[in-house]
Amino acid sequence: MAPSVTIKLLRTLLMLLVLCMCTTLAASSRTDLSQWEFLKVPSSEFVDSVKNTIDAVQEVTSIFSPFVNAFGDFRLSNAVADCLDLLDLSVDHLSWSVSAIENPGGKNNSTGDMNSDLKTWLSAALVNQDTCNEGLEGTNSIVKELVGGGLNQVTSLVQQLLNMVHPPISKSPGRKLKASKGQFPSWVKSEERKLLEASNGIKVDAIVAADGSGNYTNVMDAVLEAPDYSLSRYVIYIKRGVYKENVEIKKKKWNLMMIGDGMNATVISGNRNYVDHWSTYRTATFAVSGRGFIARDITFENTAGPEKHQAVALRSDSDLSVFFRCGMRGYQDTLYTHTMRQFYRECRISGTVDFMFGDGTVVFQNCQILAKKGLPNQKNTITAQGRKDPSQPTGFSIQFCNISADSDLVASVNSTATYLGRPWKQYSRTIIMQSYMSNAVRPEGWLEWNASLHLDTLYYGEFMNYGPGATQGNRVKWLGFHVFNQSSQANNFTVNQFIDGNLWLPSTGVRYTAGLGV
């Protein structure tokens, strides 16, 4: 080959190499830019701040540890145990945030929407300290004084982290599943569909049966045997019967699914309550922290009764969790949606005071929400949402639901006042849309927590509701109350927008409506 030809060939190859390198660098640059565009600060600064917060949480944990069973005080022991569990959860939630930044392709990435994921996890870490503090109320003041400063420091640090993340951007309505069709999306895997559709012949990993015909006779034993950090679904079938036990699914139990024989056939029942010295957090008959939990055709109940005050039937800290055709029965504080993104479909939820409460990001769709008869002269409040910081993505969205009186209250609706909710925390947020409200709901709609407290900072909204209790003429005139006149306002609180439903609900097989259309 002639030298001139060789030189020309080398030049051509060199130019191609440079072009490829430039293209790769440009693509990498675009990837890096889009990867961190959800942060207001450099990623290194954010990660360092999260790690410093983890150190602060662990320091508070070390102060708590010596007080487990230190005073022989049942309520204090429960409160300390709660705090240790909650702080441990916070370390996890903060660690997920670091992992998502440092290892974007890792298994902790959740939905892949980094804005939503980080906001959700950091919000949960914020709530945990608050719940710890609440549990210490009325206990030994020495413990509160020793840990109070540390808990407040952690709260401040997490609030700063929340403010480093941009709010999630609005999404297009995306694919919808029309609720009236009663079918599953075409893009759901057939095996996942069968899990949610079938009542018999389901491939399960464990069977619980009170009569001894399964692998276990109680639910908790089956939970303990389930694998830790599972990335595939582990199915536990619970045969009909009443299981009197307190079930706690810890943080390591990922992707558990529990299937019962029907809302009124499979019942998990307990009676822990605040009067008997349990913390509200620990009163739960059924509690789940492991991410990706699904329950279908089961009832969770707390039978303590109204005179025992706080008595939780179900508490969930499970991110990306689903409750489908489930019942939650109790009186005060029935359903504690403590933290994280949760979806409830075709459930039946009943209670008296604040019976749907917590600080999760939650959508209730096609549910029956039933106010019960409580103590004499007691007012019913359906929701008590606990958002405490405006940077949190949390709130309750109630869509296509039926809000009415339970059978024991029907004859007393005129003498027992029932309200849609009251502001438990400063930025309490609840939206009710496209739902039926019976005459059980008072014309004012909403109730104060304490005089004018939080009335200017709360965010309560109503959109296209109907029924005798939905009339707007005598609704409260608070600054924080809104009647939505445009669908664009309500769209922010749909499944797709509010809990990123289109990114994770299809894989669960549960039917849902992504937007406002039925």
Side-chain angles (χ1 to χ4, degrees):
M1 184 181 290
S4 58
V5 175
T6 303
I7 292 170
K8 285 180 181 179
L9 183 58
L10 287 172
R11 282 176 179 169
T12 303
L13 289 171
L14 183 61
M15 287 176 65
L16 286 171
L17 181 61
V18 170
L19 181 61
C20 288
M21 288 178 64
C22 289
T23 303
T24 303
L25 286 170
S28 175
S29 176
R30 285 194 299 273
T31 301
D32 291 344
L33 179 63
S34 63
Q35 191 174 331
W36 311 131
E37 64 187 4
F38 51 84
L39 292 177
K40 299 177 184 178
V41 298
S43 59
S44 57
E45 180 182 336
F46 177 78
V47 168
D48 287 344
S49 297
V50 176
K51 289 179 177 178
N52 288 337
T53 306
I54 291 173
D55 290 342
V57 173
Q58 290 173 334
E59 188 173 331
V60 177
T61 300
S62 68
I63 298 173
F64 265 116
S65 298
F67 293 106
V68 177
N69 300 320
F71 295 97
D73 181 326
F74 186 67
R75 188 183 293 281
L76 178 59
S77 295
N78 280 325
V80 171
D82 289 350
C83 287
L84 289 171
D85 280 355
L86 288 159
L87 291 168
D88 190 35
L89 283 174
S90 288
V91 170
D92 267 23
H93 302 153
L94 293 165
S95 298
W96 294 350
S97 302
V98 171
S99 178
I101 300 292
E102 294 184 336
N103 183 23
K107 65 181 181 181
N108 287 341
N109 269 4
S110 197
T111 66
D113 181 338
M114 204 75 87
N115 294 73
S116 177
D117 292 345
L118 290 179
K119 283 282 191 182
T120 297
W121 301 334
L122 294 173
S123 177
L126 181 68
V127 175
N128 292 335
Q129 278 66 244
D130 217 35
T131 305
C132 170
N133 256 325
E134 288 163 359
L136 291 170
E137 290 175 7
T139 64
N140 189 296
S141 60
I142 296 173
V143 178
K144 285 192 70 174
E145 288 170 10
L146 284 172
V147 300
L151 287 172
N152 291 337
Q153 181 195 12
V154 171
T155 295
S156 178
L157 289 171
V158 177
Q159 285 176 316
Q160 291 173 35
L161 291 171
L162 271 167
N163 282 311
M164 292 180 185
V165 184
H166 284 294
I169 58 174
S170 293
K171 307 164 190 68
S172 61
R175 292 175 290 191
K176 297 177 184 178
L177 170 67
K178 295 187 176 181
S180 59
K181 296 295 183 183
Q183 59 188 11
F184 295 93
S186 60
W187 64 94
V188 175
K189 296 175 183 177
S190 60
E191 62 268 24
E192 291 281 10
R193 256 183 264 173
K194 289 173 184 175
L195 286 175
L196 272 274
E197 282 181 323
S199 57
N200 295 301
I202 300 170
K203 181 183 180 299
V204 299
D205 298 287
I207 298 173
V208 180
D211 63 5
S213 60
N215 309 108
Y216 308 92
T217 56
N218 64 67
V219 178
M220 197 61 217
D221 283 348
V223 170
L224 292 173
E225 291 293 318
D228 292 344
Y229 302 117
S230 175
L231 296 181
S232 59
R233 190 72 62 199
Y234 185 87
V235 182
I236 299 173
Y237 167 46
I238 308 172
K239 290 188 176 183
R240 65 177 57 246
V242 177
Y243 297 83
K244 294 186 177 181
E245 56 179 308
N246 289 85
V247 177
E248 185 169 12
I249 301 174
K250 294 283 194 175
K251 64 175 188 174
K252 295 180 181 180
K253 304 296 182 181
W254 290 10
N255 292 313
L256 277 190
M257 181 177 189
M258 289 189 174
I259 301 175
D261 276 329
M263 192 185 296
N264 296 313
T266 299
V267 180
I268 301 174
S269 182
N271 62 3
R272 287 181 184 172
N273 60 84
Y274 187 79
V275 170
D276 291 339
H277 306 296
W278 295 95
S279 65
T280 301
Y281 186 79
R282 197 63 64 179
T283 63
T285 298
F286 190 98
V288 54
S289 299
R291 63 199 299 173
F293 178 74
I294 300 177
R296 191 205 78 180
D297 292 327
I298 300 172
T299 285
F300 311 96
E301 70 174 10
N302 191 311
T303 61
E307 66 280 355
K308 294 288 189 174
H309 302 295
Q310 296 96 319
V312 176
L314 169 67
R315 186 191 82 231
S316 178
D317 287 279
S318 175
D319 197 19
L320 311 180
S321 56
V322 172
F323 295 85
F324 179 47
R325 296 199 312 238
C326 287
M328 297 91 192
R329 295 200 297 238
Y331 288 87
Q332 183 170 345
D333 292 357
T334 303
L335 174 58
Y336 195 176
T337 58
H338 187 243
T339 60
M340 299 295 186
R341 291 162 290 193
Q342 306 179 30
F343 181 61
Y344 294 75
R345 172 83 183 198
E346 296 171 36
C347 291
R348 187 182 190 276
I349 308 160
S350 61
T352 54
V353 178
D354 306 337
F355 65 92
M356 295 162 63
F357 78 113
D359 197 18
T361 308
V362 190
V363 175
F364 301 90
Q365 221 173 57
N366 298 80
C367 293
Q368 277 189 292
I369 299 171
L370 304 173
K372 294 182 67 65
K373 186 173 178 60
L375 297 173
N377 303 315
Q378 190 177 61
K379 296 174 181 177
N380 287 335
T381 43
I382 294 169
T383 67
Q385 203 281 327
R387 184 166 167 255
K388 65 174 290 183
D389 187 285
S391 295
Q392 290 181 274
T394 56
F396 294 165
S397 175
I398 298 171
Q399 185 184 27
F400 307 132
C401 291
N402 181 326
I403 301 172
S404 301
D406 207 347
S407 56
D408 63 348
L409 183 63
V410 170
S412 309
V413 291
N414 293 326
S415 57
T416 301
T418 296
Y419 298 88
L420 298 172
R422 57 178 183 158
W424 181 27
K425 298 292 171 67
Q426 187 174 0
Y427 296 95
S428 180
R429 180 160 63 173
T430 300
I431 288 78
I432 304 176
M433 52 192 188
Q434 299 168 294
S435 294
Y436 172 80
M437 299 182 190
S438 80
N439 63 343
V441 178
R442 292 283 297 177
E444 306 96 295
W446 307 84
L447 183 67
E448 304 88 349
W449 185 271
N450 183 8
S452 61
L453 186 69
H454 309 329
L455 301 188
D456 293 346
T457 51
L458 61 80
Y459 192 94
Y460 288 164
E462 295 185 45
F463 176 69
M464 289 184 64
N465 298 309
Y466 60 101
T471 305
Q472 293 296 316
N474 293 311
R475 280 295 195 260
V476 294
K477 308 300 182 198
W478 306 338
L479 188 63
F481 173 68
H482 309 271
V483 178
F484 298 161
N485 296 313
Q486 298 179 348
S487 59
S488 58
Q489 296 169 289
N491 194 57
N492 293 323
F493 302 99
T494 58
V495 164
N496 184 38
Q497 294 283 351
F498 199 48
I499 58 172
D500 277 310
N502 281 350
L503 297 180
W504 61 278
L505 280 174
S507 69
T508 70
V510 69
R511 50 179 172 256
Y512 70 99
T513 303
L516 296 172
V518 179

